[in-house]
């Protein structure tokens, strides 16, 4: 009987959570009754609350909001957007179409924000002993570039300059001046950018991109690295939904990636090992 | 040559969109440069903009925000939340965990909002000729209940009274009083609720649930029925992410639905036809 | 105490299943020890066993196998294939890429097999009272076409004649002759095809497509309508995996639907209602 | 004009593939007309063909088939199975339910096969210079265990002995004796197993599990490491589909992970940094 008691409690503990608590007639989010939040708390505050248990200050909330707004969309050239639009023509629900797009926000597509927070954190940690942002950035960049030819958060296959960088970095600068955030991650990112600019003098620039600029904000606000990806997911879901919705009104069925008149080229068969 | 020109243009037209326009160095959302929106527009405003091309008034935005806040979570008993938590222990990215949860927000789980907007719209349309909300509701309910034993947006398997109903409906009432919205969908929903209450006198109540209360808001604000599901997806994604994130910090691997000590019972084999 | 006991048992019953039974050191599939199946049962037999509890005869298995082989792929023009290929370039696992493709096999993309089985079943049921396949088909087709402009399982946006139809239908004919299957669904499908051919004399033909030809097989073998979609999922997963795997070896990152030199066209903004 | 021509050709090349070639009226899989395969090639042969361009010998095909059969299911305790069953109650299609399950077959859940092939390959490569399987295994294991506490393909949270190991390894032994495969990966895996057994004398054993035993087969047959995960996806999809289908017949709506009478326990809020 003790065993049975323990098993029943075990099932309850198996799903134990601090995020929310639901009983018949009662819904608490982070120990706060949901009815106290509806109509008083903003959506961005609730995102913060659900992820971190506390509430942000208004300035913290604004900074997070700017990052979330900046990443909502990058058009049908982004594979996540294109896939969601195609899904919307295949006879599935809008939720399935959104899930299809979100599922593709992996390490190479939005997930770079997570890696960028990690890299900036490495730089900040090294700065403590090196005393120079440039020196710290150089060492950490060398380490990252020895493992991959991409530096997460910098460079864009498409934009020579990413129009989202300046307004986002401007907001972080202001927040540092006003003591809303500390500024370490901003300094780390600017050091990386300066080094890249010197290296590539005259060549195609490698500007800070959306993953980089938002990573600075998420890190300055104290979010863990994996949440850089998680927050990007929330942000880009808006664009994914908007595109899936527009597509569903255009009347196509089983929309492929290219017009039906274009046939994919034929590649030679590989030799099996 | 004309053909080739046309094919190239055809590919561009195949992916034509009004949602966003991206060129090297330029990102426009609904024809607005993204840099003009970052730091000035709120996330809820951007959701509206992306879905509908215009911007909401502050009062419209607040009403939408309340609905989005109300739906963020319903704990691990909700299959979408449980699945996302389990996914987070299987060695996939947070984006994959969120997609797993969002994928399950189907007709029976969040998708009810879409059906509820359709039902409320039917009632409003019939009201024009019947002149009585009660009469219109009764006829439309009979029609819906002849097809399904669930009335979308009403009743909850768990809550005798949904704590999210009152604050949401209160906000709509206020918005009607202030001419922010028209009130037809509110009247339709209240008529349904009143009929259900009379019918079930003494028995377990069938209160308006979160799908119903938010459907009233989405419909009052002029969103199409499928967007009731789409907006719920954005809202619930917050809770899905928060749960997946918490779970990923709890150290389990391949978390199943019940503790490992409990073995699923064995059912007899069905007879094949 | 009773409560606790009951709760533990309730959790076991909550997940009760006849599909498999797992205990420490023991795995049974449909009450058969897995070690008795490995090396003796074929994959197609196991698919049948898992879905229906019994095992097929060799001829039934062969017929099912032909249907599963026929549907494995339709190239990157199919949205499911294209999406899986794009996913494979986004830094997610092969399982996530396959899931992305499978998720898109909805009502309009592969799901038509399910509807086709339903339509053929309607025809077979009506045949009992009408005594004429043509008459039964005509009535059922009229009913379906009053609800949708697509007749599930017939017509192809791409192929004037589907090269998979003849070999599949040939195998069914042979199986009817040999009393492997009854032939009712074959007669129903051929009746539909004949009516469509007469109607469209001279115009673009509306041949039986892969969904239709495999629906005949699945229905003749006694599978329920939703399993026509389910079996197609298993079949098409092969092609989805093959394409995702090929793409992952081609070195692209974040592959969009069209080459980067082509910019999606700009549509005018819709007027919000 | 050259530009336009090039753009059209560029779109065709963007989707170039050797897997299949589709033209109106023609479907080729790996350059073979589909009508030549239907009714003659088996499903397992087609899986091989689609992934590798050639066809397997009958003995190779049987070995692959045994591995695919072995992995089809592990009951509702597996998160992928549970999630698919829950999805099937949420009002989505069977394809969406299967995708939900497949999406969870990540690095920690089935993806271990991929890592196991990599580990066995490391051992085989080191064997060339060490001349001793035991020595090579010991060094490679030390390296893997310095990075993770899990050795991919060995140990099971549930089974003290995995009933799938012996029949699978028996088939590989036979195939080595008959020169169907070379045996290097078998030797590598057995060396790991022997070392683990000596180490844990008396303690809970760490047997080769399904990921390990099938990894041996996939590697012996010459499949690349990521395809160990890919092939597992095809195999487990069968069980995922069977469970989703059974669940959809049990009449639940929005099935959560535990019975409704059990409420998830409340955890204390974490302290935000």
């Amino acid at each position: 009987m003790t065993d049975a008691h323990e098993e029943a409690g075990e099932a309850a503990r198996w799903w134990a959570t601090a995020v929310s608590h639901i009983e018949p007639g009662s819904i608490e989010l982070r120990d706060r009754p949901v009815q106290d939040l509806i109509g008083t708390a903003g959506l961005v505050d609730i995102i913060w609350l659900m992820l971190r248990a506390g509430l942000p200050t208004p300035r913290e909330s604004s900074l997070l909001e700017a990052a979330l707004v900046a990443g909502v969309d990058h058009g049908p050239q982004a594979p996540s957007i294109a896939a969601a639009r195609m899904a919307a023509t295949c006879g599935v629900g809008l939720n399935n179409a959104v899930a299809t797009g979100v599922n593709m926000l992996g390490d190479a597509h939005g997930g770079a924000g997570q890696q960028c927070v990690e890299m900036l954190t490495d730089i900040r940690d090294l700065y403590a002993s090196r005393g120079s942002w440039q020196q710290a950035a150089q060492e950490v960049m060398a380490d990252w570039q020895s493992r991959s030819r991409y530096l997460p958060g910098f460079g864009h296959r498409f934009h020579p300059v990413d129009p989202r960088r300046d307004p986002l970095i401007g907001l972080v600068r202001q927040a540092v001046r006003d003591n809303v955030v500390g500024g370490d991650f901003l300094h780390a990112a600017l050091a990386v950018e300066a080094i890249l600019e010197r290296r590539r003098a005259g060549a195609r620039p490698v500007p800070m991109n959306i993953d980089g600029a938002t990573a600075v904000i998420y890190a300055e606000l104290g979010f863990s690295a994996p949440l850089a990806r998680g927050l990007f997911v929330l942000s880009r879901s808006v664009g994914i939904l908007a595109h899936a919705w527009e597509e569903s009104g255009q009347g196509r069925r089983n929309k492929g990636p290219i017009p039906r008149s274009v046939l994919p080229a034929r590649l030679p068969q590989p030799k099996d090992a």
Side-chain angles (χ1 to χ4, degrees), chain A:
Chain A
M1 272 172 301
T2 314
D3 284 3
H5 260 307
E6 274 167 18
E7 273 175 41
E10 207 187 340
R13 284 195 306 275
W14 188 251
W15 287 102
T17 175
V19 176
S20 54
H21 192 76
I22 321 289
E23 298 194 12
S26 161
I27 298 174
E28 291 176 23
L29 306 179
R30 295 288 185 188
D31 294 345
R32 295 164 196 251
V34 69
Q35 59 268 34
D36 296 353
L37 299 167
I38 295 171
T40 58
L43 180 60
V44 175
D45 296 331
I46 291 295
I47 292 172
W48 184 297
L49 174 72
M50 294 293 280
L51 293 173
R52 300 174 63 167
L55 281 169
T57 66
R59 286 294 300 275
E60 289 172 328
S61 187
S62 295
L63 197 55
L64 176 56
E65 187 152 34
L68 292 171
V69 164
V72 290
D73 192 18
H74 203 263
Q77 280 275 24
S80 55
I81 298 289
R85 291 188 74 119
M86 295 194 296
T89 70
C90 292
V92 298
L94 262 181
N95 61 304
N96 305 119
V98 173
T100 298
V102 167
N103 209 36
M104 288 165 66
L105 302 175
D107 287 346
H109 184 16
Q114 176 171 352
Q115 297 151 37
C116 186
V117 171
E118 289 164 5
M119 184 178 72
L120 299 180
T121 305
D122 287 351
I123 295 173
R124 189 206 49 180
D125 293 350
L126 196 64
Y127 171 76
S129 62
R130 294 296 182 272
S132 149
W133 287 110
Q134 185 187 324
Q135 183 59 30
Q138 222 144 17
E139 291 185 39
V140 169
M141 287 166 71
D143 182 47
W144 277 75
Q145 295 192 308
S146 72
R147 282 175 286 148
S148 161
R149 68 194 197 88
Y150 298 97
L151 213 55
F154 293 84
H156 203 287
R157 59 180 204 189
F158 197 83
H159 298 296
V161 176
D162 190 316
R164 297 164 292 192
R165 180 216 174 272
D166 282 1
L168 289 173
I169 293 301
L171 290 167
V172 181
R173 284 186 200 278
Q174 187 62 49
V176 173
R177 276 196 296 274
D178 299 346
N179 290 313
V180 176
V181 297
D184 280 359
F185 299 96
L186 174 64
H187 296 135
L190 294 175
V192 171
E193 207 175 37
I195 292 168
L196 287 171
E197 198 179 345
R198 275 198 302 279
R199 269 197 211 158
R200 323 242 332 153
R204 195 177 186 281
V206 182
M208 198 186 304
N209 59 32
I210 182 70
D211 295 321
T214 54
V216 170
I217 290 180
Y218 299 144
E220 288 289 351
L221 292 172
F223 285 97
S224 300
L227 285 179
R229 183 196 306 229
L231 289 163
F232 178 70
V233 161
L234 296 185
S235 168
R236 184 54 59 92
S237 293
V238 177
I240 291 174
L241 173 62
H243 278 281
W245 171 239
E246 183 193 60
E247 181 71 52
S248 70
Q250 292 179 347
R252 288 193 191 91
R253 268 167 72 96
N254 290 331
K255 174 181 178 157
I258 43 177
R260 283 167 199 171
S261 59
V262 184
L263 298 182
R266 190 196 286 265
L267 289 181
Q269 296 304 323
K271 260 189 253 169
D272 192 283

